[in-house]
Amino acid sequence: MRNLFNIVSAIAVSLIALAAESHAAAPNAVSTLEKLRAYGKITLCADRDLLPHSSSKMDPPGFDVEVAQEVAKRLELGIDYKWVAAFKGYRAIRNLYSNDCDIFMGLPNDEEFLEEARRLDVTDAYYTGGFAVLLSKDAPSFDLEDYKTKGVAVDIMTVPDFRLHERGFERKLYYGVEKVIEAMKAGEVQAGLVPALEAGWAAHTKTDLGLRVLDRTEKQYIYPMGFGLRKSEQDLKAAINDVLRNLEESGRLSELRRKYGVVELLPEDGTPPKVANQPVETKVAEAKPDTDSEKTALEADFPSDAKSLDEGRKLYKQACYKCHGPKGVSGGTRPDVRKFKGDHYDMFAVVQAGRLDYGMPAFAEYLTEDEIKQIVVYIKQLPPPEDDYKKH
Amino acid sequence: MKSRWALLASAGTAALAAGFAGQVLAADWTPVTDERLLSAEKNADDWLIYGRSYSALRHSPLDQINKSNVKNLKVKFQQALGTIEGQEVTPVVNNGIMIVAVSHERIDAIDVTTGKRLWRHDIKIPNDATQFTCCGKVTRGASLYGDKVYFATLDSRLLAIDAKDGKLAWEKTLADYKAGYTLTMAPTIVKGKVMVGFSGGEFGIVGQILALDSETGNEVWKHRTIPQPGEPGYDTWGKDSAKYGGGAAWLTASYDPETNLTFWGTGNPAPWNSDMRPGDNLYSNSIIALDADTGKQKWYFQHVPNDAWDWDSMNEALLINAKIGGKDTKAVIQAHKNGFLYTFDRASGKCLQTVAFAPYDWGNLDENCNMVVKPDKRPGVGKKAYFCPSYFGGKGWAHMAYNPDNSTVFIPMTDMCVTLHHEETTYKKGTMYLGAGGEIKEPGKGGVTAVDVSANKVKWTWKHNSPLQSSSAVSTAGGLVFIGTFEGEMLALDQDTGEKLWSHMNPSGINAGTISFSAGGKQHIAVVSGYGGAFPLWAGTGVPPHIKDNVNPGATLTVYALD
């Protein structure tokens, strides 16, 4: 479920008719690049543990991270990492808006997206991403149409989920590519239409499964993927574009793409994808109010059923209670978790990566992602501090 | 009086030497010999040992500050210690030099006459060390021996630091902190052996006490508090529960030269869920007497078999000579979390008498000092029980003080109840091993209870609207008890009546040990304030709102003297 392509779906389902205003970027007195050079480093927001995109363990660092490292090097900058829970694309917008970092990789250079994220811009592509056809070892056909009635696996709430529905396909819904692959292993499904980068990585690393990823897909499923940055920092965008051109010419980018099994998607009709001019049509958006879909998406990532809550309560006691108090009631020396300023995803990232400077440990090594989610769900439903001393 | 003259001489030199004053004094470190340690009780000027003397009485023979002049007690100096971690330290003072361990961040040597820092030793512990401990970066302090300062770190190392310049002489890793073995106590040092007990009863450790050579850090003996397969007592641990059985002896021991015994209190068995460990769970929640040379257990008394309440017996054992039942007795007294003060015979461990010092509702002790618990006061899986005192205890880890002149012990007291239930849990490295959940619905209260041990009776209780859960008392020959509160108030109480005679507000809450010593011919009182430790972390709504709203963390050393 953790993939940046959800951003595309998030936009697809949340087409709010905002009056289109064009904002001219304010001219900067000091260029962004100069500022970064004075500081010496560029900061990348990336997920702590989301291969093939990124991994804080640096073994391997991930495709996004390695491309960013190459770019930073050529810009004569060091690189800092801000580890975030990136499994929802809209976080990119927030992290960049709030100056947590300077770049956020893997955003679609797509008009629809840029209209939504008004203060963001996206560089030229460092790979062509989108949704690819993934086939199990025993899948009999390369044509998706042949699976129309048998069922095609999709990542829930992504573009293919809606699109295949419109096209009258039988869909099988999964939370994330990994779950799709498990289903293929179990023989539940033979074909999927899933994020291409993850699909390529799986085929590349899980060679024993004999997975196949097709490099042809419908034009509408293809997105040129670039570096997300703040729209006001056009000089940085231009500089990165220059570097990307060099990296492409020198063959370094293809080298990295090969290392991570990146599938270069090509449209089925043979014409190259158009940049920033292919509005994603959708009727789904009108059918579903925005808040509902947000809720559904949150529930998908952070299930709040009774069992998850109970697990979360138990895990809270094992991992959190000793500092943050019973039922999240702080005694005043450590932060009250109920006053946490941020959403489920922000809290997830903090529990996973810790705030080591403040004595908050990183739990990535001791708790699974599902366990951390259960803790977050438990904390988020605790009664507010105002009720602490009410008579029982 | 020899030491006082030495101090005056060196203080004079310091004044003349201006900028080099610090170095001059630090280099004048008076070695902390066995002889000085053994006679610490009579040496009024210093505070050489964690509990002031091997008998851990925390009683100062100084009487310059007394009932009639305590109202004139003033702050001599204050020094910010630069951290917001909770401070549980009892500083030690050797001939005018105070050694203060500031959380697990640094150790300062301070000239007590001027407040000037003589040296600083920065302690480095791994970023993730706090993950494996219950209560933050707390330490109870450093200990002195010879020319060295010994400090036990949260990540289970023993540091030997040169007392003259603060430089590290050597260090020794003692255990794997990532398995929950941490150190928060000030070591007990006897005849060249540095003894430490591991904390970690909430992380499923097996309680261990180590004696290490003070010159090399090499292990001399090791005593496990929980028997392992083949050892006597192992059969008191059903369901293979001894493996992560807890029983941490996490506070500084006392020592009796006559019997050559060290006295330790052991903590709760793990997990809190008692169904997961059928049996008495020896020797958790016990007082144990170990031979100082060999670590062999000479006697034990288990206060709480098959603990269901987290009623540790970790509390300090005071060695007193007093009339007990009309007879001169060499005794051991220990105040327990369950609200009772126990008196034992020092050589045999026989329980001689008990008396309640804190509100309790769980049942009573029989004539053999064994707990008889009302069935509805015992929590279980799916069974909530409301009981008093809470798991913070009628007495927390904060130390009591005993005045031999009036055979009275002054006990920091907590009056708080809890609703607790048990649940299944599994051992998971790096997280807590509890299997229990509770709620403290009413904000805690507390006070100081004075018990005449010879009469085995409560003399008075000074009541307060917050628990005195982790602030240690000091008794003085001036007829006073000094103790701090979570609000930050430093108090002087009348030993006869419990009346508050003087107080001073500190910058933050007090959960540390108050001490008394003499320098430059003057009696001083000193304390490190800095709100923190277990109480604000674990008590939830048991923390009184006036404390949550008003008390900020932040460590400060305050030293008082008469004008």
Side-chain angles (χ1 to χ4, degrees):
Chain A
M1 107 193 59
R2 311 195 325 166
N3 70 76
L4 292 173
F5 280 89
N6 280 316
I7 195 162
V8 180
S9 64
I11 295 151
V13 296
S14 64
L15 283 177
I16 304 159
L18 291 165
E21 281 174 58
S22 65
H23 284 288
N28 287 335
V30 183
S31 81
T32 310
L33 214 50
E34 279 172 49
K35 276 193 282 186
L36 291 176
R37 290 215 168 105
Y39 174 63
K41 286 174 181 173
I42 192 165
T43 307
L44 166 72
C45 272
D47 196 290
R48 185 186 169 78
D49 179 23
L50 185 61
L51 284 174
H53 294 279
S54 53
S55 162
S56 65
K57 289 190 182 118
M58 297 288 164
D59 183 29
F63 180 57
D64 287 351
V65 172
E66 288 209 53
V67 173
Q69 285 171 342
E70 290 288 346
V71 168
K73 196 164 77 188
R74 281 170 174 72
L75 292 175
E76 291 163 22
L77 289 168
I79 189 161
D80 258 352
Y81 305 97
K82 163 90 182 170
W83 302 113
V84 298
F87 53 97
K88 282 294 176 189
Y90 66 78
R91 296 199 39 84
I93 303 173
R94 181 187 300 186
N95 288 129
L96 287 169
Y97 282 1
S98 60
N99 284 307
D100 288 342
C101 45
D102 304 304
I103 44 175
F104 200 118
M105 312 279 291
L107 297 191
N109 192 331
D110 172 271
E111 194 178 66
E112 203 71 41
F113 170 69
L114 291 171
E115 187 156 320
E116 183 85 356
R118 281 154 176 255
R119 285 186 280 153
L120 290 196
D121 207 345
V122 177
T123 66
D124 292 347
Y126 61 101
Y127 75 101
T128 309
F131 296 91
V133 176
L134 176 69
L135 298 172
S136 70
K137 196 175 183 175
D138 56 351
S141 161
F142 282 6
D143 190 347
L144 209 56
E145 286 289 334
D146 292 340
Y147 302 92
K148 192 167 182 176
T149 51
K150 275 194 254 175
V152 174
V154 291
D155 201 351
I156 193 165
M157 301 292 287
T158 56
V159 171
D161 180 2
F162 303 110
R163 191 54 50 107
L164 291 179
H165 176 64
E166 283 170 23
R167 286 171 56 190
F169 270 65
E170 178 66 31
R171 293 157 304 139
K172 294 189 171 180
L173 308 180
Y174 296 95
Y175 293 119
V177 176
E178 229 158 80
K179 291 278 189 305
V180 172
I181 292 165
E182 276 173 28
M184 284 186 170
K185 222 169 129 184
E188 283 172 31
V189 67
Q190 291 177 309
L193 188 57
V194 296
L197 199 69
E198 276 87 345
W201 175 248
H204 191 61
T205 52
K206 298 178 182 177
T207 46
D208 56 315
L209 296 182
L211 299 170
R212 290 160 296 168
V213 186
L214 305 187
D215 69 349
R216 296 278 160 171
T217 190
E218 273 185 80
K219 193 168 68 178
Q220 63 198 357
Y221 297 136
I222 298 176
Y223 303 90
M225 305 300 280
F227 288 47
L229 38 71
R230 285 176 286 274
K231 199 175 202 166
S232 56
E233 302 182 339
Q234 285 298 314
D235 67 311
L236 180 63
K237 179 184 174 184
I240 293 176
N241 281 343
D242 282 348
V243 172
L244 285 176
R245 236 184 334 274
N246 287 337
L247 285 172
E248 194 68 86
E249 279 162 15
S250 70
R252 178 64 181 142
L253 267 183
S254 354
E255 211 176 283
L256 287 174
R257 287 197 286 257
R258 271 198 303 281
K259 176 175 175 183
Y260 289 94
V262 178
V263 178
E264 288 289 316
L265 288 180
L266 294 170
E268 283 171 336
D269 66 358
T271 55
K274 251 173 129 186
V275 177
N277 262 326
Q278 298 288 335
V280 178
E281 293 167 30
T282 177
K283 285 172 189 160
V284 185
E286 288 143 33
K288 281 189 176 184
D290 180 50
T291 49
D292 275 5
S293 67
E294 282 265 321
K295 257 189 213 159
T296 318
L298 183 69
E299 185 60 31
D301 282 345
F302 292 90
S304 63
D305 54 285
K307 191 171 177 294
S308 301
L309 260 174
D310 194 52
E311 285 301 316
R313 185 181 58 78
K314 284 184 187 159
L315 288 162
Y316 176 88
K317 270 186 215 159
Q318 286 186 275
C320 322
Y321 179 108
K322 72 195 180 82
C323 289
H324 296 291
K327 298 186 179 175
V329 181
S330 160
T333 53
R334 293 287 187 275
D336 194 307
V337 288
R338 300 165 301 169
K339 295 180 184 168
F340 182 81
K341 289 190 184 70
D343 61 14
H344 287 61
Y345 301 93
D346 295 309
M347 190 178 277
F348 179 94
V350 171
V351 178
Q352 202 181 45
R355 279 181 176 160
L356 298 178
D357 292 351
Y358 298 94
M360 163 81 189
F363 281 92
E365 210 182 307
Y366 301 95
L367 299 171
T368 66
E369 285 182 5
D370 283 343
E371 287 173 333
I372 296 177
K373 285 175 186 171
Q374 287 160 350
I375 288 174
V376 170
V377 167
Y378 169 71
I379 291 173
K380 284 291 185 185
Q381 56 83 53
L382 287 168
E386 298 77 56
D387 296 346
D388 283 356
Y389 294 102
K390 280 192 185 151
K391 284 289 165 201
H392 298 266
Chain B
M1 292 305 282
K2 195 177 156 211
S3 58
R4 184 176 292 178
W5 291 119
L7 172 67
L8 289 175
S10 58
T13 320
L16 289 171
F20 297 99
Q23 281 140 343
V24 171
L25 255 177
D28 280 352
W29 178 262
T30 315
V32 179
T33 58
D34 286 323
E35 195 191 346
R36 291 182 72 212
L37 289 171
L38 287 165
S39 60
E41 197 162 314
K42 293 187 192 80
N43 167 5
D45 293 355
D46 294 326
W47 187 292
L48 291 179
I49 300 174
Y50 180 68
R52 217 194 84 80
S53 59
Y54 275 144
S55 45
L57 302 188
R58 290 185 181 248
H59 172 75
S60 166
L62 296 168
D63 58 4
Q64 197 179 67
I65 303 167
N66 55 41
K67 289 187 202 179
S68 55
N69 65 15
V70 66
K71 60 181 183 291
N72 301 323
L73 195 59
K74 297 269 157 44
V75 172
K76 190 169 171 191
F77 67 84
Q78 284 187 306
Q79 194 169 105
L81 297 173
T83 177
I84 56 167
E85 292 292 327
Q87 300 303 308
E88 298 192 342
V89 65
T90 298
V92 281
V93 178
N94 177 24
N95 213 350
I97 299 173
M98 180 186 287
I99 305 293
V100 192
V102 184
S103 354
H104 286 262
E105 294 168 299
R106 62 192 75 92
I107 299 172
D108 281 353
I110 293 167
D111 177 347
V112 295
T113 53
T114 60
K116 194 178 159 73
R117 189 163 78 218
L118 306 173
W119 52 253
R120 164 166 290 179
H121 178 88
D122 283 309
I123 300 164
K124 286 179 187 65
I125 59 167
N127 261 341
D128 64 353
T130 48
Q131 173 153 1
F132 309 97
T133 185
C134 69
C135 308
K137 280 193 212 170
V138 294
T139 177
R140 311 235 151 61
S143 297
L144 310 177
Y145 193 71
D147 289 328
K148 293 201 179 69
V149 173
Y150 293 87
F151 183 77
T153 68
L154 206 56
D155 58 322
S156 280
R157 287 173 295 142
L158 180 69
L159 311 181
I161 296 156
D162 189 327
K164 292 187 177 173
D165 57 16
K167 295 211 167 76
L168 184 71
W170 50 261
E171 65 166 87
K172 192 99 177 170
T173 299
L174 305 180
D176 175 14
Y177 72 94
K178 291 193 178 189
Y181 289 85
T182 56
L183 289 165
T184 58
M185 64 156 53
T188 300
I189 310 181
V190 175
K191 297 186 287 182
K193 280 185 278 297
V194 182
M195 297 175 231
V196 292
F198 292 102
S199 305
E202 272 62 52
F203 287 81
I205 68 160
V206 170
Q208 283 177 37
I209 298 161
L210 301 181
L212 309 149
D213 186 297
S214 65
E215 287 302 310
T216 62
N218 292 336
E219 189 179 303
V220 183
W221 54 256
K222 170 155 74 177
H223 177 85
R224 271 199 300 260
T225 64
I226 307 291
Q228 295 304 302
E231 295 173 358
Y234 179 70
D235 56 351
T236 63
W237 293 86
K239 299 186 182 171
D240 199 21
S241 51
K243 195 173 171 189
Y244 301 113
W250 52 276
L251 288 175
T252 307
S254 47
Y255 169 64
D256 177 29
E258 204 178 303
T259 55
N260 199 36
L261 291 177
T262 55
F263 298 88
W264 304 79
T266 65
N268 60 284
W272 287 17
N273 176 357
S274 50
D275 286 355
M276 291 174 67
R277 40 177 173 76
D280 280 357
N281 311 138
L282 292 173
Y283 299 89
S284 68
N285 289 0
S286 302
I287 178 172
I288 57 176
L290 305 183
D291 185 276
D293 295 334
T294 63
K296 270 212 155 136
Q297 185 168 302
K298 285 292 162 67
W299 60 258
Y300 79 95
F301 176 88
Q302 187 178 41
H303 309 74
V304 191
N306 194 235
D307 178 21
W309 307 268
D310 188 38
W311 281 339
D312 299 52
S313 303
M314 77 297 176
N315 276 328
E316 73 284 2
L318 275 60
L319 312 182
I320 67 166
N321 298 324
K323 280 216 182 327
I324 305 292
K327 277 198 294 196
D328 284 328
T329 308
K330 287 175 182 165
V332 180
I333 55 172
Q334 193 191 21
H336 201 272
K337 270 187 170 183
N338 67 15
F340 280 82
L341 177 74
Y342 293 67
T343 306
F344 302 97
D345 179 82
R346 205 184 301 168
S348 70
K350 185 175 190 294
C351 180
L352 303 174
Q353 61 182 27
T354 59
V355 60
F357 65 87
Y360 69 102
D361 73 350
W362 50 264
N364 230 318
L365 295 175
D366 67 15
E367 67 280 6
N368 296 318
C369 311
N370 294 322
M371 282 173 57
V372 182
V373 182
K374 296 176 191 164
D376 63 328
K377 294 295 176 185
R378 186 181 176 97
V381 175
K383 182 191 162 197
K384 278 188 182 180
Y386 172 87
F387 58 87
C388 323
S390 73
Y391 49 73
F392 279 97
K395 176 177 173 294
W397 69 267
H399 306 304
M400 55 194 193
Y402 175 85
N403 185 346
D405 301 335
N406 50 23
S407 70
T408 303
V409 64
F410 306 95
I411 311 173
M413 186 267 287
T414 296
D415 175 8
M416 195 158 70
C417 306
V418 68
T419 306
L420 197 75
H421 68 273
H422 296 160
E423 54 197 26
E424 287 300 309
T425 186
T426 44
Y427 176 79
K428 196 173 170 71
K429 190 178 174 180
T431 66
M432 290 208 301
Y433 189 42
L434 282 187
E439 196 174 7
I440 296 168
K441 287 190 176 160
E442 296 295 323
K445 301 189 288 286
V448 177
T449 305
V451 175
D452 181 334
V453 180
S454 285
N456 202 33
K457 271 206 177 105
V458 171
K459 263 164 96 170
W460 50 256
T461 300
W462 174 79
K463 287 191 176 165
H464 189 55
N465 63 351
S466 74
L468 272 79
Q469 191 272 334
S470 40
S471 166
S472 301
V474 58
S475 151
T476 72
L480 299 168
V481 182
F482 290 91
I483 193 164
T485 66
F486 276 137
E487 288 83 353
E489 201 177 8
M490 186 71 222
L491 307 164
L493 304 179
D494 184 325
Q495 285 199 1
D496 295 322
T497 62
E499 190 192 341
K500 180 161 102 179
L501 299 179
W502 167 87
S503 81
H504 170 258
M505 208 58 195
N506 278 248
S508 180
I510 297 172
N511 25 246
T514 305
I515 61 169
S516 177
F517 56 91
S518 182
K522 283 202 147 185
Q523 182 183 1
H524 293 71
I525 303 293
V527 74
V528 174
S529 54
Y531 183 52
F535 182 70
L537 303 181
W538 284 66
T541 42
V543 178
H546 73 276
I547 289 182
K548 204 183 280 191
D549 294 344
N550 296 318
V551 180
N552 281 319
T556 305
L557 166 68
T558 302
V559 175
Y560 303 93
L562 295 170
D563 279 339

